[in-house]
Amino acid sequence: MQIYKVGGAVRDRLLGRPVSDVDWLVVGATVEQMQAQGFRPVGADFPVFLHPHTGEEYALARTERKSGRGYGGFTFHASPDVTLEDDLIRRDLTINAMAEDEQGTLYDPYHGKRDLDQRLLRHVSPAFAEDPLRVLRVARFAARYAPLGFKVADETLALMRQIGESGELQALTAERSWKEIERALMESEPQVFIEVLRSCGALEHLMPELAQGADTLAALHQAAQRQQALPVRWACLLRGLEPAAIKALNQRFKAPRECQELAVLVGEFAERADQALAMAPANLLEMLQKFDVYRRPQRFEDFIAACEMAALGPGYPQGEYLRGAAEAARAVDVKPLVEQGLTGQALGEALKGERLKALEAYTAG
Ligand code: CTP
């Protein structure tokens, strides 16, 4: 059997980027031979194994045949007669379809090195279409490697367009799609992910709410440059959409709760935050109550960050002002009210009254 390093590890080494995990490809072996050498199978019907000592992934060379619609509609053919070229041709991009043997010799039958040098994301073969998730992967790689000058090849964009039109993107599971979206949002140029999806028409199928909606990409870019957390980036992207559209996107991709919540709150309150300096104390209080700034201070911070990213200017004085207001409301002590014998709803009302007074003082000062 021959063992090759494949995929991202080869690509990133050639790009001079840090290699996080290494995938190995085994040619000329059977499942039984792998097990006899102590490799542990990862799943029942998937020809991938973990190395007994390093824990790295070793996959048997395989060809893949589409047997149905949607994810799960795959059958795998792995056998010792599947060659390196057979395996590599069914991978997504030429830059991901290179292999290196144990002596460090590069195997590059589909010219991945040339495309790396030309900064091109190009599909290897029509087999690209076997997995529609690759449309999102390509857009994600475009976002990741944009600072290096990478572009998607025209013929690959055309194929991505066809996949979108085939309806296959809607058949992807929420979990697989979200994983790509999340990784793309955390790249340094996440707006490129959306731009690429838009340019091949895929955005219309994946996120129609965003396809002709408000332009929020500058805010998203800013959020990445300022290294904001995932929920802030997601909220920046969805800002300006109607509440129903935000909800639909949240649910379609089963976004994590923190992302969902922040996107909804930004949708509802961002405009008011922009006007914070002119806000009446009662409206400020209503907003702070809605955010539950007393128990969820970080969520309010993330909200302010998302508003600040969209402001795009050098400063956002509203942010400091809102922080100050939250502090003033939070500083109200509940103890004297309890000592007066107040409980339940009466205590709640009294506390609100005291907070309002504190905000009146804050806004007056
Ligand atoms: N691959 C593919 N199609 C997919 C997923 C993976 O062709 N839908 C192939 C590519 O050759 C890829 C390799 O499997 O390089 C490993 O996949 P993965 O670990 O997901 O990605 P990496 O290329 O290692 O990239 P990343 O740095 O994003 O992990």
Side-chain angles (χ1 to χ4, degrees):
M1 73 173 78
Q2 302 96 45
I3 296 181
Y4 302 90
K5 196 184 276 181
V6 285
V10 178
R11 176 197 70 219
D12 285 334
R13 188 188 65 73
L14 289 170
L15 279 175
R17 285 176 56 106
V19 171
S20 48
D21 54 12
V22 181
D23 292 309
W24 301 91
L25 179 69
V26 184
V27 176
T30 61
V31 169
E32 293 71 28
Q33 281 169 324
M34 295 299 284
Q35 282 176 321
Q37 295 201 12
F39 284 88
R40 298 190 305 274
V42 167
D45 43 30
F46 206 73
V48 178
F49 300 82
L50 298 180
H51 190 279
H53 307 306
T54 66
E56 288 177 334
E57 276 192 11
Y58 286 69
L60 290 186
R62 60 185 190 255
T63 56
E64 217 157 80
R65 193 159 39 83
K66 185 103 186 162
S67 63
R69 199 183 150 88
Y71 189 55
F74 287 122
T75 53
F76 294 99
H77 169 70
S79 92
D81 58 13
V82 176
T83 65
L84 179 62
E85 287 76 11
D86 292 339
D87 182 281
L88 295 178
I89 200 169
R90 46 147 281 271
R91 290 175 181 256
D92 53 2
L93 296 171
T94 59
I95 64 165
N96 289 341
M98 296 181 278
E100 223 174 73
D101 67 14
E102 281 152 314
Q103 285 73 45
T105 306
L106 186 70
Y107 292 82
D108 182 19
Y110 307 109
H111 309 295
K113 179 72 173 61
R114 186 188 64 197
D115 287 342
L116 267 190
D117 293 339
Q118 295 187 357
R119 303 304 200 223
L120 267 183
L121 301 171
R122 190 203 306 273
H123 67 285
V124 182
S125 77
F128 180 92
E130 285 174 4
D131 182 4
L133 189 74
R134 289 169 167 174
V135 172
L136 283 86
R137 277 175 62 90
V138 172
R140 170 167 68 79
F141 284 119
R144 180 192 293 175
Y145 297 129
L148 299 177
F150 274 81
K151 296 265 174 306
V152 184
D154 290 341
E155 63 268 35
T156 301
L157 277 176
L159 183 52
M160 288 160 71
R161 178 175 296 279
Q162 272 178 30
I163 294 170
E165 286 165 1
S166 75
E168 287 265 315
L169 293 175
Q170 282 94 328
L172 289 168
T173 63
E175 289 76 10
R176 288 188 89 208
S177 299
W178 176 258
K179 226 166 156 186
E180 290 299 325
I181 294 167
E182 170 174 350
R183 293 185 73 186
L185 288 176
M186 293 314 290
E187 295 291 353
S188 59
E189 305 283 340
Q191 77 287 356
V192 172
F193 175 71
I194 301 293
E195 283 164 0
V196 166
L197 293 176
R198 182 175 281 149
S199 73
C200 68
L203 199 63
E204 295 244 6
H205 304 289
L206 283 165
M207 306 180 179
E209 297 83 356
L210 275 181
Q212 351 31 41
D215 187 12
T216 53
L217 296 191
L220 176 58
H221 185 210
Q222 173 92 340
Q225 291 203 314
R226 304 273 292 274
Q227 318 213 319
Q228 295 291 345
L230 177 67
V232 176
R233 297 183 189 209
W234 178 242
C236 281
L237 178 64
L238 271 45
R239 183 181 169 161
L241 297 180
E242 293 296 321
I246 294 174
K247 196 170 161 203
L249 282 163
N250 273 337
Q251 292 183 346
R252 179 159 337 119
F253 299 110
K254 297 190 188 155
R257 199 177 50 97
E258 273 198 313
C259 291
Q260 296 208 16
E261 268 183 9
L262 194 65
V264 167
L265 287 167
V266 167
E268 190 174 348
F269 289 104
E271 276 178 29
R272 266 176 270 184
D274 290 346
Q275 305 300 323
L277 303 184
M279 231 165 148
N283 295 339
L284 261 179
L285 178 66
E286 187 203 327
M287 181 160 143
L288 297 176
Q289 299 280 113
K290 188 85 186 259
F291 272 87
D292 193 6
V293 291
Y294 319 102
R295 281 179 298 184
R296 306 279 307 268
Q298 184 57 43
R299 187 170 66 174
F300 194 56
E301 271 306 313
D302 286 349
F303 167 74
I304 293 173
C307 295
E308 194 177 345
M309 296 307 107
L312 301 178
Y316 188 69
Q318 296 92 323
E320 264 322 294
Y321 187 79
L322 286 169
R323 276 187 200 104
E327 229 164 84
R330 230 182 266 131
V332 169
D333 193 0
V334 69
K335 228 164 90 198
L337 302 174
V338 174
E339 281 166 4
Q340 284 170 34
L342 292 168
T343 54
Q345 206 177 341
L347 177 63
E349 287 303 317
L351 194 54
K352 238 171 118 176
E354 291 303 314
R355 285 171 176 157
L356 184 58
K357 276 190 219 156
L359 288 172
E360 279 163 356
Y362 177 75
T363 53

